[in-house]
């Protein structure tokens, strides 16, 4: 998914979020967009190619409140960065004169629990921070291309993984909230199959990583 | 203690053994009367010529039945650091030395001994002295080519290693990379040499015949049209004539240089591996015409070692050595190659063409496996099989196209532009047709040998350095890691790590693929 398409999808989700006034006490729906930083588990490999094991990630999705505490979220994000292909000899990384673009697009399905405390008979002011935690599964689209790659050279694959998440949400408007979201994803056996993979050299096969993001939530 | 007891004796010996501190770099052994001639003549393909016969060694060379050869009357020695000059003189006197010279671009010395003494025995005696790091005879190095058969035009060697796609990744490197060609010289410029050609004797067929004196003649030289270009050549040096005019009097070095850097996409001729590099012609091998014209030096281990030092000291990043020999090891060549790699230069060395001559160990190729950044290169034919002549052994690290005309026919050789041998090898038809040579007439010749496979690796190294792998040891690793395995699985003695795969090495590693 390219950047304009992703932005469009996020805008659509935000627009389709049910306004808080329209929600009843049953199933609710909110849209969210987030921006964050991912530190990949395959840190040496990403660092060799991109110069850093971390990079910005942008995404969005829909969160469905199943009960007062339980929610389900569907989201997509995107990491894309261009570095250089390399040769590694005795731990020295030689950057080659051939660019290399890595794109990782996770699609994630998560179930979470919001720690709201006891329901009170008389509505009071909402809690300043609402912590949540959860986990889920994901499908991670990975592509790698370089200017002189043939079809056989290009890497395009989708791998399944799982993740755990935790965060805290705070309202900033009547129908809008912000959250700090931390997520740990594991995508086993996604990297390092090919003889021309630096991940194989470093024995790093996990495409997952730790992502810390700021989330803007529309709806209630 | 030894020195103090022998001080008086040493005084005498100092007088007995003369020391020439350095070879006089200003001594001129020949004169070019003009720097310009008409442009070189291109006679096109020479596909009907008879094979080029092997050349005999001159009279000052001792040749064993096994084919090894070395100079009479001198040996090479390196003393341990800190050895006093007086002690050096004392030691060399024990082997009957007359004079000792310290040549330029060398960390060893040349010791002149009696013409009738056995240089190998003298070297062995000297090597036993406590302050001697090594001593060896001055073994003759020769080009690693096999005389060619009649030929047809086809350049199959580059597609065989997928160079078309490799050039997409790196189109011929740039002029920032200098590749030294340590060989018989290169046809790199125009000139006219006025020289008296004396009579000489050699075997013609089975008879020893006299070739007549030709008197004073003007010998024309021209730059190879498909190789020379603006700023193409850098720091030329001739260690056979001890000057800065390493003109090729054979054609071997010009052919080798062509495979490394023949001009490409210029509408004429053929292509080269790294066609944008600059070439450093370093002449360290004497040819038949060098000998006939009376060159003061011959292509021996010590001369080649000096050439290696010179190339590295003058900025070469890649050294091509399509040369070698069998016989005794050569510590001074080993040290020279270590000097090159430790100063950031990659060295490609021919693995040798003696498989069908008993397959002896080849030098300096046999040093390559123990030196990171130096590679011994075997040869394959168009069928990707080891060429019949290509030497085998644990020292073979990689193979590249060198041609195999036994299985591949005439066009199974490697084609490049060099001299039209009909105008240079006038002696091969005997005294009746013997005449002055012309080194300004060019043609496209198919040759085969590890001489021809080695420049593929040298050019490949230039591309890798341009691509970003600047450490010669890493260049070697990149070549070996991505080589196409041939023969027995894994590293073997016929193909080493396998056939070079430039495109894969130039692409290197991605994250996942």
């Amino acid at each position: 998914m390219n950047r304009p398409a992703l932005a469009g999808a996020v805008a659509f989700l935000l627009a389709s979020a049910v306004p808080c006034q329209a929600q009843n006490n049953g199933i609710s729906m909110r849209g969210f967009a987030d921006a964050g930083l991912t530190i990949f588990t395959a840190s040496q490999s990403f660092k060799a190619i991109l110069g850093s094991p971390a990079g910005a990630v942008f995404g969005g999705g829909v969160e469905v409140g199943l009960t007062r505490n339980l929610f389900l979220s569907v989201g997509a994000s995107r990491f894309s960065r261009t570095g250089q292909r390399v040769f590694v000899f005795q731990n020295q990384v030689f950057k080659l004169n051939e660019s290399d673009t890595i794109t990782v697009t996770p699609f994630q399905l998560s179930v979470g629990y919001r720690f709201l405390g006891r329901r009170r008979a008389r509505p009071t002011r909402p809690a300043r921070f609402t912590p949540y935690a959860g986990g889920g599964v994901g499908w991670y689209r990975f592509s790698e291309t370089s200017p002189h790659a043939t079809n056989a050279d290009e890497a395009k694959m989708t791998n399944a993984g799982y993740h755990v998440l935790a965060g805290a949400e705070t309202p900033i408007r009547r129908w809008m909230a912000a959250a700090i979201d931390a997520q740990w994803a594991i995508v086993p056996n996604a990297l390092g199959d090919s003889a021309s993979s630096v991940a194989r050299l470093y024995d790093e096969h996990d495409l997952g990583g730790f992502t810390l993001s700021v989330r803007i939530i529309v709806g209630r | 203690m030894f020195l103090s007891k022998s001080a008086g004796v040493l005084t005498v010996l100092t007088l007995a053994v003369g020391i020439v501190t350095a070879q006089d770099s200003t001594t001129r052994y020949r004169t070019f009367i003009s720097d310009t001639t008409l442009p070189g003549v291109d006679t096109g393909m020479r596909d009907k010529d008879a094979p080029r016969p092997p050349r005999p060694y001159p009279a000052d060379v001792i040749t064993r039945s096994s084919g090894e050869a070395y100079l009479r009357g001198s040996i090479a020695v390196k003393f341990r650091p800190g050895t006093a000059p007086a002690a050096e003189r004392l030691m060399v006197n024990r082997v009957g030395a007359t004079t000792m010279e310290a040549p330029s671009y060398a960390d060893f010395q040349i010791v002149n001994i009696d013409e009738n003494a056995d240089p190998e025995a003298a070297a062995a005696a000297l090597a036993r002295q406590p302050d001697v790091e090594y001593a060896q005879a001055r073994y003759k190095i020769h080009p690693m080519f096999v005389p060619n058969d009649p030929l047809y035009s086809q350049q199959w060697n580059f597609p065989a290693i997928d160079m078309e796609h490799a050039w997409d990744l790196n189109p011929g490197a740039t002029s920032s990379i200098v590749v030294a060609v340590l060989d018989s010289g290169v046809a790199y410029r125009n000139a006219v040499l006025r020289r008296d050609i004396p009579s000489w004797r050699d075997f013609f067929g089975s008879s020893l015949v006299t070739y007549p004196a030709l008197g004073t003649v003007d010998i024309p030289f021209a730059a190879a049209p498909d190789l020379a270009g603006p700023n193409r050549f850098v720091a030329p040096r001739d260690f056979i004539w001890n000057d800065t005019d390493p003109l090729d009097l054979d054609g071997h070095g010009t052919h080798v240089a062509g495979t490394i850097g023949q001009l490409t996409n210029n509408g004429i001729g053929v292509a080269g591996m790294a066609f944008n590099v600059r070439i450093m012609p370093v002449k360290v091998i004497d040819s038949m015409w060098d000998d006939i014209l009376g060159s003061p030096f011959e292509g021996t281990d010590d001369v080649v070692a000096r050439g290696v030092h010179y190339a590295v000291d003058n900025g070469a990043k890649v050294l091509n050595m399509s040369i070698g020999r069998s016989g005794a090891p050569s510590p001074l060549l080993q040290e020279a190659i270590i000097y090159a790699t430790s100063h950031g230069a990659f060295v490609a060395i021919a693995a040798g063409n003696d498989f069908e001559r008993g397959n002896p160990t080849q030098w300096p190729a046999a040093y390559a496996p123990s030196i990171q950044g130096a590679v011994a290169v075997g040869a394959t034919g168009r069928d990707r099989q080891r060429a019949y002549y290509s030497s085998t052994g644990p020292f073979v690290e990689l193979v590249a196209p060198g041609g195999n005309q036994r299985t591949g026919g005439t066009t199974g050789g490697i084609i490049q532009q060099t001299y039209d041998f009909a105008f240079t090898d006038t002696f091969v038809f005997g005294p009746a047709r013997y005449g002055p040579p012309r080194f300004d007439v060019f043609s496209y010749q198919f040759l085969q040998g590890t001489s021809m496979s080695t420049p593929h690796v040298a050019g490949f190294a230039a591309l890798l350095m341009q691509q970003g792998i600047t450490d010669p040891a890493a260049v070697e690793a990149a070549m070996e890691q991505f080589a196409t395995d041939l023969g027995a699985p894994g590293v073997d003695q016929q193909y080493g790590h396998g056939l070079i795969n430039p495109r894969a090495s130039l692409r290197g590693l991605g994250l996942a693929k």
Side-chain angles (χ1 to χ4, degrees), chain B residues 46-64:
Chain B
R46 297 306 301 247
D47 55 353
K48 305 298 182 196
D49 291 359
R52 204 180 188 196
R55 311 296 167 79
Y57 284 124
D60 65 340
V61 172
I62 299 170
T63 307
R64 286 188 189 154

Side-chain angles (χ1 to χ4, degrees), chain B residues 245-262:
Chain B
D245 301 298
L247 290 163
D248 189 358
L249 274 66
D250 180 83
H252 183 270
T254 300
H255 193 283
V256 166
T259 298
I260 295 168
Q262 195 83 310

Side-chain angles (χ1 to χ4, degrees), chain B residues 413-445:
Chain B
I414 304 297
I415 186 172
Q416 280 297 341
Q417 186 178 53
T418 187
Y419 298 127
D420 185 331
F421 297 136
F423 290 84
T424 59
D425 297 3
T426 60
F427 42 75
V428 299
F429 304 109
R433 292 170 61 186
Y434 170 61
R438 287 184 61 178
F439 298 102
D440 62 344
V441 184
F442 295 88
S443 63
Y444 291 92
Q445 304 270 5

Side-chain angles (χ1 to χ4, degrees), chain A residues 85-86 97 144 153 197-198, chain B residues 467 503 507 509-512:
Chain A
R85 296 181 70 84
V86 299
N97 187 26
E144 179 176 22
D153 294 328
S197 165
V198 73
Chain B
Q467 191 75 343
R503 181 178 184 274
R507 277 198 89 231
L509 302 172
L511 185 70

Side-chain angles (χ1 to χ4, degrees), chain B residues 114-150:
Chain B
D114 188 274
E115 286 287 318
N116 297 317
D118 180 355
E120 285 196 317
L126 195 53
R128 286 193 290 270
Q129 301 295 319
D131 288 325
V132 171
E133 197 164 311
Y134 61 75
Q136 65 158 82
R138 301 176 74 188
Y139 293 101
K140 285 281 288 183
I141 300 272
H142 55 80
M144 289 290 193
F145 80 98
V146 172
N148 65 320
D149 294 322

Side-chain angles (χ1 to χ4, degrees), chain B residues 93-107:
Chain B
N93 188 59
R94 288 178 176 166
V95 296
T98 53
T99 58
M100 188 161 61
E101 301 168 13
S104 58
Y105 299 103
D107 56 1

